Amino acid sequence: MKILVTGGAGFIGSHTVVELINAGHEPIIIDNFNNSEKSVLKGIRKIIKKPVKCYEKDCNDVKALEQICRKENIEGIIHFAAYKAVGESVEKPLKYYENNIGSTLNVLKVMLNLGIKNLVFSSSCTVYGQPDHIPVTEDTPRKPAASPYGNTKTMCEDILRDTITARNPLKIISLRYFNPIGAHPSAHIGELPRGVPSNLVPFITQTAAGIRQKLTVFGSDYDTPDGTNIRDFIHVVDLAKAHVSALELLSKQADTYYEVFNVGTGSGNSVLEIIKTFEKVNKLKLNYEIGPRRPGDVEKIYGNVEKAEKLMGWKVEKTLAESLKDAWRWEKKLMKK
Ligand code: WQD
């Protein structure tokens, strides 16, 4: 299928473009490069050995979006384009609501105008807030997210569901990501955080690279075995493959369809376990200290991912060790640039 990948030059988007091509699809990127680099297109090309078409446009420009979909005869859309910095969303909520919700509304309008039926939406486990029970299933009640970023994901899921309920001829899957980490094994593409990374693994790799002086573990007094938060850390390539599986499930559906899937490993690791595994698999010592809790952090969450295996035939293939090795290989590659 000809697939429009919004935000396709981003971390998860770029890895998904590679897996779409590996699966025989024809991805076309639209990205405003507000939070991604054009060098990613070169990295993708090195992996797939051919150029991938990319339009430098903004999904908030609905006319441009529609023109591209019409011109390219798009058959499906994977919608990644969104701001995703939790902390920034608290300081600039309107920027997040306008962009993340506005772009999703535009994608839906264009799909309805042009008769495009297939949509995979990038959602997040943040919709669960701090769940009462773990692992969370897709039926676990969503909770008010701790940030406007998380609220935009909840609201977009509701917009998608309401659009389907109105019997619009659409087939939609929302994928609720847990914590994507790692990089393509080739080290041609990977995570490119701007400024000081807020996420754990890029901060770890930059500390190991000497870019950051020390990693601070945000709290060790939580109700967990070692006192640090627990998360479901999934290799970004496994996450990318879930999007291909989602598209293939959609192509088998006849009529209107809406499903939500957790996309994680199905198990949790603590922050300290990540640090120790990183040190072990990469044979190095990391400079870190225990500091105060970070406001808004969820204590522990990981996903029950049986539904994705049952309905999409998808499950993770990579180990945590591979994720952390690939993350470090990518950081070392960046150091050479
Ligand atoms: C993980 C754990 C921190 C940095 C967020 C979003 C989620 C998704 C991924 C976009 C926490 C601890 C972190 C550090 C630390 N974003 N940590 N020191 O917060 O689980 O998820 O990013 O899609 O939607 O909510 O990820 O990597 O920021 O934190 O101790 O320097 O690592 O306290 O427990 P998080 P994270």
Side-chain angles (χ1 to χ4, degrees):
M1 280 198 273
K2 286 195 84 172
I3 304 294
L4 186 74
V5 184
T6 75
F11 176 38
I12 304 165
S14 55
H15 288 81
T16 301
V17 165
V18 167
E19 297 310 325
L20 284 167
I21 288 166
N22 290 344
H25 293 287
E26 186 185 343
I28 288 156
I29 295 172
I30 176 171
D31 202 307
N32 64 6
F33 295 101
N34 172 285
N35 192 27
S36 53
E37 310 293 337
K38 293 188 178 165
S39 60
V40 170
L41 302 176
K42 272 193 232 129
I44 293 172
R45 182 168 187 164
K46 282 182 186 160
I47 298 169
I48 59 170
K49 313 290 185 219
K50 61 183 177 184
V52 64
K53 195 178 278 188
C54 177
Y55 289 89
E56 185 173 359
K57 289 289 179 188
D58 191 321
C59 289
N60 287 297
D61 178 349
V62 70
K63 280 198 173 56
L65 190 60
E66 181 150 344
Q67 275 166 359
I68 292 165
C69 288
R70 191 190 303 279
K71 177 183 169 214
E72 298 291 349
N73 298 312
I74 293 298
E75 300 164 89
I77 298 178
I78 302 181
H79 182 40
F80 290 106
Y83 296 140
K84 61 157 209 159
V86 171
E88 186 192 39
S89 77
V90 175
E91 291 152 29
K92 301 176 184 169
L94 294 185
K95 172 181 175 181
Y96 276 68
Y97 287 116
E98 185 175 34
N99 182 62
N100 293 8
I101 294 174
S103 62
T104 304
L105 291 172
N106 286 344
V107 164
L108 288 168
K109 285 175 198 166
V110 167
M111 289 179 72
L112 292 172
N113 288 350
L114 300 183
I116 299 170
K117 298 198 182 310
N118 305 290
L119 172 64
V120 179
F121 175 70
S122 167
S123 190
S124 169
C125 65
T126 197
V127 303
Y128 296 114
Q130 174 55 67
D132 297 330
H133 306 287
I134 49 173
V136 289
T137 68
E138 290 80 357
D139 299 327
T140 297
R142 294 175 310 172
K143 285 190 177 175
S147 69
Y149 158 76
N151 283 336
T152 66
K153 293 300 182 183
T154 301
M155 292 172 183
C156 285
E157 284 192 5
D158 291 344
I159 290 165
L160 298 176
R161 187 181 291 280
D162 290 347
T163 305
I164 289 289
T165 308
R167 304 297 301 160
N168 285 297
L170 297 174
K171 303 186 284 182
I172 302 176
I173 283 176
S174 286
L175 298 181
R176 289 175 181 165
Y177 308 158
F178 286 76
N179 290 60
I181 61 170
H184 194 270
S186 67
H188 289 314
I189 54 175
E191 198 162 3
L192 285 169
R194 290 216 164 145
V196 180
S198 60
N199 294 138
L200 176 65
V201 172
F203 204 108
I204 286 177
T205 58
Q206 288 193 7
T207 302
I211 298 167
R212 307 292 159 200
Q213 203 262 327
K214 186 188 303 183
L215 168 77
T216 301
V217 174
F218 296 143
S220 63
D221 58 349
Y222 286 98
D223 179 18
T224 61
D226 65 16
T228 64
N229 289 155
I230 290 173
R231 293 288 185 278
D232 184 334
F233 295 94
I234 177 173
H235 196 295
V236 64
V237 170
D238 279 331
L239 178 54
K241 288 180 177 177
H243 293 77
V244 177
S245 301
L247 270 180
E248 278 152 18
L249 179 59
L250 287 178
S251 66
K252 293 181 193 135
Q253 308 309 317
D255 204 337
T256 55
Y257 178 89
Y258 183 65
E259 275 301 345
V260 175
F261 292 93
N262 285 338
V263 184
T265 65
S267 59
N269 288 103
S270 75
V271 173
L272 280 178
E273 282 171 339
I274 297 299
I275 292 170
K276 296 200 181 332
T277 306
F278 182 83
E279 291 180 318
K280 182 166 173 251
V281 301
N282 293 310
K283 300 181 177 59
L284 51 78
K285 284 305 285 171
L286 201 70
N287 185 17
Y288 69 93
E289 67 177 1
I290 305 294
R293 291 184 173 194
R294 178 172 70 175
D297 266 340
V298 162
E299 178 170 80
K300 49 192 168 196
I301 186 168
Y302 58 91
N304 174 312
V305 293
E306 289 164 10
K307 183 178 173 186
E309 186 172 352
K310 195 160 144 247
L311 295 187
M312 288 201 297
W314 171 90
K315 64 178 182 176
V316 295
E317 297 160 18
K318 292 187 179 279
T319 63
L320 178 65
E322 285 175 282
S323 298
L324 295 171
K325 272 186 195 159
D326 291 343
W328 180 227
R329 185 183 307 112
W330 167 245
E331 188 67 58
K332 285 186 287 187
K333 179 84 175 287
L334 287 176
M335 285 161 68
K336 290 183 188 139
K337 286 186 177 174

